[in-house]
Amino acid sequence: MFGIVRPCRHGMCGGLFKEWMAHLCGLCLALRDEHGHASRLVTNYDGLLVSVLTEAQAAESSPHRRAAACALRGFKGADVVEAEGVRLAAAVSLILAAGKIRDHVADGDGVYARRPVAAVAERVAARWSTAGSGTAVAVGFDPEILVRAVEEQTRLEGVPGLRLLELTGPTEAAVAAAFGHTALLADKPHNRESLEEAGRHFGRLAHLLDAVEDLAGDRAAGAYNPLVASGTDLAAARRHCDDALLGLRLAVAELDLERRTLVRALLIKEIGRSVTRAFDMAEAAGGTRTGAESSKKRGREHPKAPHRDPRLKPDPGGLLSVMCAAMACCTCGLYRPPWDEDRYKSCGERCDASGCDACGQCGDCGNCCDCDCCSCDCCDCSCDC
């Protein structure tokens, strides 16, 4: 729901997490102020990277303001980013969310197979696409780049026999364009080439990890998945992800940044964790092959599924499921429905499950947040690095 970058307050220094939250709250408020409360449903973590990159290149390009109290912050005020980078993040989030909704409608996924739901979803997608395009134009970004990428992605999914990296191409192009535009917003045009390269690698990772996470479910439902469509197994997909991680790391190293720490924490550390988490979960679910061949044909059984908490209720589907998903999105994951596997886990348990160096296990701050300003026994330190 929120993307592949999923930072946790236990996984980074207190100062870094505060910076991250300033961008997250800034995006949420920008969506509300320009497009209404309903548009806050498209708030996602990956889109925030364009705001982070804009501020990292030139701090003066991202002014902050004091926001009023919010229930999601314990009815406290907060320092939030109010800049063109946040507006670009809002535009990208709206346009891509609209494209995803249309894709679900076209495929007839879940509740979208019902005509009344599909009709409402189409209207919402059209409204979000128009709103996002308007905001994109206002910050000097051509929205047609994203619209065409979404359309091309849909077209490629109907073409048989394509290789995996051909299928990820439209996503790579869309993210590259958004990342590259932050160089213009920050008045650092010499960064544009490296930012576009970073965007291509990040777009590839986002597409592949989404496919890996959905692999078991897509197989069971007979839905489209790029790994199955291209005949790619998890080992090959992991190699592509590792190559993209290396390319991303090299591209970030070439950037002229005034503030590098948060960018490194998100684009290198957190994405590396996401890769590990996605493939560990896929292998635990028995997704070690693509195509029709089963594990029995290879002489072994699927690994057992992780233990299910007996307190979890079954997902009822239908309107209630959609409403609960919307509630989880509106609260940035603070609310979790009774059938969510993370509902009864503490933050520390969720971090441990995702491979996070959390809850006092990281050793020292330099290993977990790439700073050298302190030496502590927990990532949640008070240094403002």
Side-chain angles (χ1 to χ4, degrees), residues 249-269:
R249 182 178 292 107
L250 295 175
V252 169
E254 293 176 353
L255 294 175
D256 173 18
L257 302 177
E258 293 181 4
R259 305 173 68 177
R260 183 175 296 272
T261 312
L262 183 58
V263 172
R264 284 180 53 82
L266 298 176
L267 282 178
I268 296 176
K269 176 186 172 186

Side-chain angles (χ1 to χ4, degrees), residues 215-237:
L215 182 59
D218 288 343
R219 278 178 175 165
Y224 178 87
N225 186 288
L227 297 180
V228 177
S230 61
T232 306
D233 61 21
L234 285 180

Side-chain angles (χ1 to χ4, degrees), residues 8-12 269 273 345-364 368 376-381:
C8 168
R9 69 174 66 252
H10 292 282
M12 57 173 60
K269 176 186 172 186
R273 285 178 175 167
K345 292 181 181 179
S346 67
C347 182
E349 289 175 320
R350 291 197 294 269
C351 286
D352 291 339
S354 66
C356 175
D357 295 326
C359 307
Q361 303 299 316
C362 63
D364 66 84
C368 67
C376 56
D377 294 326
C378 177
C379 288
D380 194 15
C381 62

Side-chain angles (χ1 to χ4, degrees), residues 18 21-22 25 29 65-70 73 76-80:
K18 184 178 179 181
M21 289 301 299
C25 293
L29 294 176
R65 69 177 176 88
R66 189 68 183 174
C70 173
R73 295 190 295 266
K76 296 179 181 179
D79 180 66
V80 303

Side-chain angles (χ1 to χ4, degrees), residues 37-325:
H37 282 284
S39 66
R40 299 166 82 178
L41 289 170
V42 308
T43 300
N44 71 86
Y45 296 163
D46 290 353
L48 279 178
L49 290 174
V50 297
S51 178
V52 172
L53 286 168
T54 302
E55 183 177 55
Q57 293 174 81
E60 67 275 8
S61 67
S62 294
H64 289 223
R65 69 177 176 88
R66 189 68 183 174
C70 173
L72 301 182
R73 295 190 295 266
F75 294 99
K76 296 179 181 179
D79 180 66
V80 303
V81 176
E82 184 181 43
E84 298 295 83
V86 167
R87 298 184 70 200
L88 176 60
V92 170
S93 298
L94 285 163
I95 294 173
L96 295 184
K100 194 169 186 68
I101 288 176
R102 286 172 174 149
D103 185 53
H104 284 312
V105 172
D107 293 342
D109 295 335
V111 295
Y112 294 97
R114 302 176 182 178
R115 289 186 179 180
V117 175
V120 172
E122 284 282 10
R123 287 197 292 271
V124 171
R127 184 163 62 249
W128 283 352
S129 182
T130 300
S133 297
T135 299
V137 170
V139 298
F141 181 71
D142 182 8
E144 286 301 310
I145 297 174
L146 300 183
V147 174
R148 287 197 300 269
V150 172
E151 293 174 349
E152 179 66 5
Q153 190 68 64
T154 302
R155 186 189 70 80
L156 290 180
E157 290 182 3
V159 179
L162 295 179
R163 292 174 298 175
L164 182 62
L165 296 189
E166 291 178 302
L167 294 171
T168 64
T171 304
E172 294 178 28
V175 181
F179 276 27
H181 192 69
T182 65
L184 303 182
L185 295 180
D187 197 23
K188 293 283 185 74
H190 55 281
N191 274 337
R192 186 165 189 172
E193 184 176 348
S194 295
L195 283 166
E196 289 177 346
E197 183 69 13
R200 279 188 286 272
H201 291 301
F202 179 79
R204 181 178 300 177
L205 283 163
H207 197 124
L208 291 178
L209 294 185
D210 182 62
V212 170
E213 290 178 345
D214 293 345
L215 182 59
D218 288 343
R219 278 178 175 165
Y224 178 87
N225 186 288
L227 297 180
V228 177
S230 61
T232 306
D233 61 21
L234 285 180
R238 181 62 187 261
R239 288 195 295 271
H240 285 304
C241 286
D242 289 341
D243 290 343
L245 276 174
L246 176 59
L248 182 60
R249 182 178 292 107
L250 295 175
V252 169
E254 293 176 353
L255 294 175
D256 173 18
L257 302 177
E258 293 181 4
R259 305 173 68 177
R260 183 175 296 272
T261 312
L262 183 58
V263 172
R264 284 180 53 82
L266 298 176
L267 282 178
I268 296 176
K269 176 186 172 186
E270 294 299 335
I271 294 177
R273 285 178 175 167
S274 295
V275 171
T276 301
R277 176 176 59 243
F279 281 93
D280 285 350
M281 291 177 64
E283 290 168 4
T288 55
R289 304 263 313 165
T290 57
E293 226 176 317
S294 67
S295 291
K296 283 188 176 181
K297 291 184 180 180
R298 301 174 62 196
R300 62 185 180 86
E301 298 291 336
H302 286 315
K304 291 183 179 180
H307 175 69
R308 179 180 175 87
D309 193 310
R311 294 171 292 181
L312 291 176
K313 300 182 183 299
D315 188 341
L319 183 59
L320 178 59
S321 183
V322 172
M323 291 175 64
C324 288

